[in-house]
């Protein structure tokens, strides 16, 4: 029995640089930045050391109908907005509900709902806590609500692997489609965690950039003067299906998802392995599933968060897989523009990788003042052409807990 090919037929995104996938892609190519000063009283109230983040360009509750939005945490709102776009982009496929699955992800889940409910309990008592609090805050809320909205009955699964979450959900979707558990899968991830507690916590561990005077230039992966990542929010969704199913209904196809790899470092709860062993294995696993070699790769969307330690470690990992050729492959570090969407970042970057293949261009990496010699990727502040031949690109995601996930995409 032959292994079915899995294709991307729809994309949707709500990001700090655009309310849709096309808007986000256009802004990325234009070198936009989604980071800006936070205009909330709680920034001063709690004397936060970091006063900016990359908030979504379009609030999801302005897109959804009010009765729907009120019953969803912002993280689930983002998920539904992006999924509705992706579903429409895929042509709203007619599929047996028992052959439609959801593989979704988040890193933190409904943190706003949880902490707002705690404030309500302390200030107003238990009778004022909303009865929908738990269904809104639970990490599987996005997957469950997508299943309800689209009538997906094959399964609705949730991954919570920190910043590797939504790339892992894409890899899972490919495996589930190959195993025949569904014909179509709604895959992706979401996050809405720009909250005082997360900002304070990340800042306390020295993970965030503190460039409060210049938010738009704060995320600078690969730059020698980087000082941490920038919090982002939003969601990315890809409609994946077997090529047979897609062709039978005459669907447009963006790209083929040819491989994926998921590993664990077992090194440290927050720091990634400086030897890059687990990350390198995830890349190699993705290429092995794709029946490809490192020489076939034409583009890399790097995890590249802009932290002093993380960026060099990723280079070490890729160097061990690609050898000296890693210095020749066009690399993009798109978090320079979008910030870091935590559990939603892998899905958004997968979309950027798919569009890079389609348009044969590696998007620019903004804010590089001087490239760090320890991170000598072929990275540029201008878009880099990918050439006319077959394209094979990988998208990397690494997260707290030692989670590594890599997805590989090829041109059709």
């Amino acid at each position: 029995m032959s292994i079915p090919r899995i294709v991307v037929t729809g994309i949707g995104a709500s990001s700090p640089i655009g309310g849709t996938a096309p808007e986000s892609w256009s802004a990325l190519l234009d070198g936009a930045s989604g980071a800006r000063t936070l205009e909330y009283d709680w920034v001063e109230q709690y004397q936060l050391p970091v006063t900016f983040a990359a908030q979504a360009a379009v609030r999801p509750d302005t897109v959804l109908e009010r009765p729907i939005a009120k019953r969803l945490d912002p993280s689930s709102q983002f998920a539904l907005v992006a999924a509705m776009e992706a579903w429409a982009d895929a042509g709203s496929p007619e599929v047996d509900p028992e052959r439609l699955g959801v593989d979704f992800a988040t890193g933190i889940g409904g943190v706003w709902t949880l902490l707002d409910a705690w404030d309500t309990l302390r200030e107003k008592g238990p009778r004022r806590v909303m009865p929908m609090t738990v269904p809104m805050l639970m990490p599987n809320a996005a997957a469950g609500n997508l299943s309800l909205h689209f009538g997906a009955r094959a399964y609705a699964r949730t991954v919570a692997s920190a910043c590797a979450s939504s790339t892992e959900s894409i890899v899972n979707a490919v495996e589930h489609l190959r195993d025949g558990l569904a014909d179509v899968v709604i895959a992706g991830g979401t996050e809405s965690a720009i909250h005082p507690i997360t900002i304070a916590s990340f800042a306390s561990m020295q993970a965030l950039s503190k460039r409060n005077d210049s938010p738009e230039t704060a995320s600078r992966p690969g730059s020698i003067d980087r000082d941490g990542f920038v919090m982002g929010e939003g969601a990315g969704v890809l409609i994946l299906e077997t090529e047979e199913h897609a062709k039978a209904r005459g669907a447009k196809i963006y790209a083929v998802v040819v491989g994926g790899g998921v590993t664990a470092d077992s090194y440290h709860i927050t720091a990634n392995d400086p030897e890059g062993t687990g990350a390198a294995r995830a890349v190699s696993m993705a290429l092995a599933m794709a029946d490809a070699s490192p020489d076939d790769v034409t583009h890399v969307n790097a995890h590249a968060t802009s932290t002093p330690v993380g960026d060099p470690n990723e280079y070490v990992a890729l160097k061990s897989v690609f050898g000296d050729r890693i210095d020749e492959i066009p690399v993009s570090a798109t978090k320079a523009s979008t910030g870091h969407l935590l559990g939603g970042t892998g899905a958004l970057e997968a979309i950027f990788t798919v569009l890079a293949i389609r348009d044969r261009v590696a998007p620019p990496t903004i804010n590089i003042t001087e490239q760090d010699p320890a991170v000598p990727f072929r990275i540029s502040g201008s878009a880099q052409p990918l050439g006319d031949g077959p394209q094979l690109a990988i998208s990397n995601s690494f997260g707290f807990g030692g989670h590594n996930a890599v997805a590989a995409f090829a041109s059709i």
Side-chain angles (χ1 to χ4, degrees), residues 105-108 161-167 188-191 234 340-347:
T106 185
I108 295 178
S161 297
C163 305
S165 297
S166 52
T167 298
T190 188
E191 205 77 87
H340 192 351
L341 279 63
L342 307 180
T345 204

Side-chain angles (χ1 to χ4, degrees), residues 49 55 82 86 122 136 140 159 183 199 205 239 253 281 327 340 354:
Q55 293 184 283
R122 288 188 301 108
M136 289 171 65
N140 61 307
V159 169
D183 295 322
I199 291 175
M205 68 170 68
I239 305 302
I253 295 175
R281 283 196 301 115
D327 300 332
H340 192 351
V354 165

Side-chain angles (χ1 to χ4, degrees), residues 95 98 153 334 347:
V95 56
E98 295 185 1
R153 297 178 184 168
T334 53

Side-chain angles (χ1 to χ4, degrees), residues 75-76 79 102 104-105 138-147 190:
S75 61
S76 292
V102 177
F104 222 70
M138 59 191 189
N140 61 307
N145 279 289
L146 294 185
S147 173
T190 188

Side-chain angles (χ1 to χ4, degrees), residues 312-372:
N313 289 355
E314 183 172 11
Y315 179 79
V316 169
L318 295 183
K319 177 85 169 181
S320 71
V321 175
F322 294 96
D324 291 340
R325 188 169 178 272
I326 190 57
D327 300 332
E328 304 170 4
I329 302 171
V331 171
S332 297
T334 53
K335 290 182 183 69
S337 288
T338 67
H340 192 351
L341 279 63
L342 307 180
T345 204
L348 179 62
E349 290 167 9
I351 290 170
F352 290 156
T353 305
V354 165
L355 294 176
I357 288 173
R358 183 196 68 179
D359 294 348
R360 296 179 179 274
V361 58
T365 300
I366 62 173
N367 300 333
I368 300 177
T369 55
E370 178 185 346
Q371 190 165 348
D372 187 347

Side-chain angles (χ1 to χ4, degrees), residues 138-378:
M138 59 191 189
N140 61 307
N145 279 289
L146 294 185
S147 173
L148 287 167
H149 184 85
F150 295 100
R153 297 178 184 168
Y155 60 84
R157 305 191 187 193
T158 299
V159 169
S161 297
C163 305
S165 297
S166 52
T167 298
E168 186 172 336
S169 76
I170 292 168
V171 176
N172 288 348
V174 171
E175 293 175 346
H176 294 151
L177 285 162
R178 285 187 168 195
D179 288 343
L181 300 185
D183 295 322
V184 180
V185 172
I186 301 166
T190 188
E191 205 77 87
S192 182
I194 299 175
H195 185 282
I197 192 67
T198 50
I199 291 175
S201 177
F202 280 127
S204 180
M205 68 170 68
Q206 306 298 314
L208 293 182
S209 170
K210 292 184 170 64
R211 286 191 170 85
N212 294 324
D213 58 340
S214 183
E216 68 279 358
T217 68
S219 182
R220 47 183 74 185
S223 187
I224 197 166
D225 54 355
R226 65 192 181 279
D227 69 331
F229 77 86
V230 174
M231 286 275 287
E233 65 178 355
V237 175
L238 299 88
I239 305 302
L240 306 181
E241 53 191 299
T242 62
E243 185 178 43
E244 180 182 11
H245 188 276
K247 288 186 172 179
R249 68 181 187 86
K252 73 174 181 297
I253 295 175
Y254 282 98
V256 184
V257 196
V258 290
V262 176
T263 66
D265 284 347
S266 187
Y267 172 77
H268 190 274
I269 196 62
T270 57
N272 51 10
D273 182 357
E275 300 296 324
T277 305
R281 283 196 301 115
V283 173
S284 296
M285 288 170 64
L287 295 179
M289 182 186 286
D291 194 23
S293 79
D295 290 340
D296 297 321
V297 174
T298 58
H299 173 51
V300 174
N301 188 301
H303 183 58
T305 61
S306 185
T307 58
V309 174
D311 291 3
N313 289 355
E314 183 172 11
Y315 179 79
V316 169
L318 295 183
K319 177 85 169 181
S320 71
V321 175
F322 294 96
D324 291 340
R325 188 169 178 272
I326 190 57
D327 300 332
E328 304 170 4
I329 302 171
V331 171
S332 297
T334 53
K335 290 182 183 69
S337 288
T338 67
H340 192 351
L341 279 63
L342 307 180
T345 204
L348 179 62
E349 290 167 9
I351 290 170
F352 290 156
T353 305
V354 165
L355 294 176
I357 288 173
R358 183 196 68 179
D359 294 348
R360 296 179 179 274
V361 58
T365 300
I366 62 173
N367 300 333
I368 300 177
T369 55
E370 178 185 346
Q371 190 165 348
D372 187 347
V375 194
F377 286 128
R378 182 181 158 190

